[in-house]
Amino acid sequence: MSGRAQLMWDDAVTGYDFGDSHPMDPVRLALTMGLVRAFGLDRAVDVVAAKAAGESTLRLVHRSDYVAAVRAASADPGRADQNYGLGTVDDPAFAGMHEVSSLIAGQSVAAAEAVWRGQTGHAVNFSGGLHHAMPGSASGFCIYNDPALAIARLLELGAERVAYVDVDVHHGDGVQAAFWEDPRVLTVSLHEHPRTLFPQTGWPEETGAGAGEGGAVNVALPAGTGDAGWLRAFHAVVPELLADFRPQVLVTQHGADTHFEDPLAHLAVSLDAQRAVMAACHDLAHEYADEGRWVALGGGGYAVVDVVPRSWTHLVGIAAHAPVDPESVIPSSWRDEVYARTRQLGPARMTDGRTPSWKSWEEGYDPADRLDQAVLASRRAAFPLRGLLT
Ligand SMILES: [Zn+2]
Ligand SMILES: [Zn+2]
């Protein structure tokens, strides 16, 4: 197996653009790649541009009538069919949307293939992580569900156990739905509580069905949760599940919208805690996945200058085994690029100046504490179904 990680990147992914008034500004992808290059990380990984996912790959998750509807809207945005979630406020249609959405999906699928075949240990696609897309509709800024497609491709290649861990501030509903009854896939999502945030799902009681009963785990965090609570919840749930499930591949989604500056949600997580969870996912892949097989994806993130590029540059550094020192001063060349593109001043350092710490669940919990109640609800709902103690 190559020691070098793969970074999936094609400049054309920045064509995933819902328009000027939409929060998912593709400048976040361009600025992330710019920051990766500014730190020389593009020389620490193999940068690979994969081809777009073809029809047969898209069909692993998506319905043929939906793919046809995306193609039609892509060719003529005026024909977008709202019955498929297309041409809506969240998912406006734009020319070429099928092509660029397939291209992003293709990067995640190729990342999964490379990891499965042992061509690399870790592969990153920060343009992916579009976890809300459903088999038959667009949702939540997502057209094709690249995490689900990557997992489905792993299953097609013969994988019997794939774990998906989603730490985006929003529930990973589309991935959960795709494998709801499939015992080969364990989906774990930590997110802001559905009572206060889109997509209003991800309750602890959602645990899968049929042969997949117990295959979905949801941690619904109270609005306002900060570093200590977020890290406590992650460590109270994820390592134990992975230690038991022993996935052949770990797929993680690192939406940066948990950050306290994010305009669309209400958690209060710092860049430093995001980095700590990325490092923990990397460690967990080495500890529990076959030969450290890890596919790491991006996701949401709407503080497009201040947060997203720094967050995912840390992700690339961790996967490359060349982590960026949080105290690093950001190269002025990148800050010039930020100003030229956005007329905003970019951040100066790779840290929010926090040193996150958390209390281990094993030391006990407080039944009156809202965070602990959330963790307990998840453990009580899902752990016994997996034969684990609450
Ligand atoms: Zn999100
Ligand atoms: Zn590693």
Side-chain angles (χ1 to χ4, degrees):
M1 186 180 295
S2 162
R4 284 166 71 85
Q6 276 191 15
L7 173 59
M8 314 306 298
W9 179 257
D10 182 323
D11 285 332
V13 299
T14 59
Y16 193 82
D17 188 351
F18 292 112
D20 287 348
S21 58
H22 195 282
M24 195 182 244
D25 184 340
V27 78
R28 68 200 197 116
L29 301 178
L31 291 178
T32 300
M33 195 59 195
L35 192 55
V36 164
R37 290 190 177 116
F39 278 107
L41 288 171
D42 55 323
R43 297 190 300 274
V45 296
D46 293 329
V47 180
V48 176
K51 61 182 175 42
E55 183 80 21
S56 61
T57 301
L58 296 173
R59 288 290 311 282
L60 293 175
V61 168
H62 294 288
R63 289 196 335 232
S64 59
D65 59 322
Y66 172 58
V67 176
V70 176
R71 284 183 188 275
S74 184
D76 178 0
R79 287 173 56 205
D81 187 343
Q82 296 207 352
N83 292 318
Y84 291 103
L86 300 165
T88 57
V89 172
D90 274 6
D91 301 283
F94 60 92
M97 74 189 303
H98 167 77
E99 286 73 18
V100 69
S101 303
S102 305
L103 185 65
I104 289 173
Q107 308 310 307
S108 294
V109 169
E113 289 171 343
V115 164
W116 179 254
R117 292 175 176 145
Q119 291 157 354
T120 184
H122 311 324
V124 179
N125 175 25
F126 61 73
S127 73
L130 303 174
H131 59 168
H132 294 306
M134 289 292 172
S137 68
S139 176
F141 316 163
C142 304
I143 306 301
Y144 294 136
N145 194 317
D146 63 282
L149 289 162
I151 294 166
R153 179 68 178 133
L154 289 168
L155 300 177
E156 189 181 48
L157 289 168
E160 291 165 347
R161 292 181 316 285
V162 180
Y164 173 74
V165 176
D166 183 323
V167 298
D168 191 284
V169 78
H170 301 93
H171 176 223
D173 57 344
V175 186
Q176 174 179 291
F179 305 106
W180 185 244
E181 296 189 44
D182 193 330
R184 297 172 297 176
V185 182
L186 171 67
T187 64
V188 186
S189 180
L190 276 81
H191 44 261
E192 182 179 329
H193 201 286
R195 224 183 267 123
T196 50
L197 195 65
F198 176 89
Q200 281 85 42
T201 56
W203 297 78
E205 294 75 20
E206 296 169 30
T207 53
E213 173 116 61
V217 181
N218 286 290
V219 187
L221 300 164
T225 296
D227 289 355
W230 195 60
L231 290 165
R232 175 170 166 82
F234 178 91
H235 287 282
V237 173
V238 177
E240 217 174 316
L241 290 167
L242 296 182
D244 174 65
F245 186 65
R246 299 272 166 175
Q248 291 162 296
V249 183
L250 175 63
V251 179
T252 57
Q253 196 272 20
H254 297 272
D257 42 12
T258 48
H259 195 272
F260 56 76
E261 280 182 44
D262 196 273
L264 296 195
H266 325 92
L267 295 194
V269 170
S270 73
L271 188 68
D272 302 289
Q274 291 180 344
R275 189 175 53 82
V277 159
M278 293 163 185
C281 287
H282 174 238
D283 291 345
L284 289 166
H286 279 289
E287 206 165 345
Y288 299 122
D290 285 358
E291 298 179 70
R293 288 187 163 95
W294 181 34
V295 175
L297 307 172
Y302 308 97
V304 298
V305 169
D306 231 27
V307 177
V308 176
R310 294 189 295 163
S311 188
W312 295 343
T313 295
H314 278 304
L315 181 63
V316 172
I318 287 163
H321 303 127
V324 178
D325 183 341
E327 294 300 328
S328 303
V329 171
I330 291 179
S332 58
S333 59
W334 183 80
R335 302 184 72 212
D336 293 345
E337 183 189 344
V338 167
Y339 190 75
R341 283 177 178 267
T342 68
R343 296 292 165 215
Q344 293 181 53
L345 296 176
R349 305 179 83 85
M350 289 297 284
T351 177
D352 287 332
R354 308 275 178 91
T355 308
S357 63
W358 75 97
K359 269 178 40 207
S360 165
W361 189 254
E362 278 130 48
E363 291 166 28
Y365 58 85
D366 176 1
D369 180 82
R370 288 175 67 221
L371 188 277
D372 285 4
Q373 288 168 0
V375 171
L376 202 55
S378 304
R379 292 182 59 108
R380 280 190 176 139
F383 276 40
L385 297 171
R386 307 200 61 81
L388 299 170
L389 295 173
T390 298

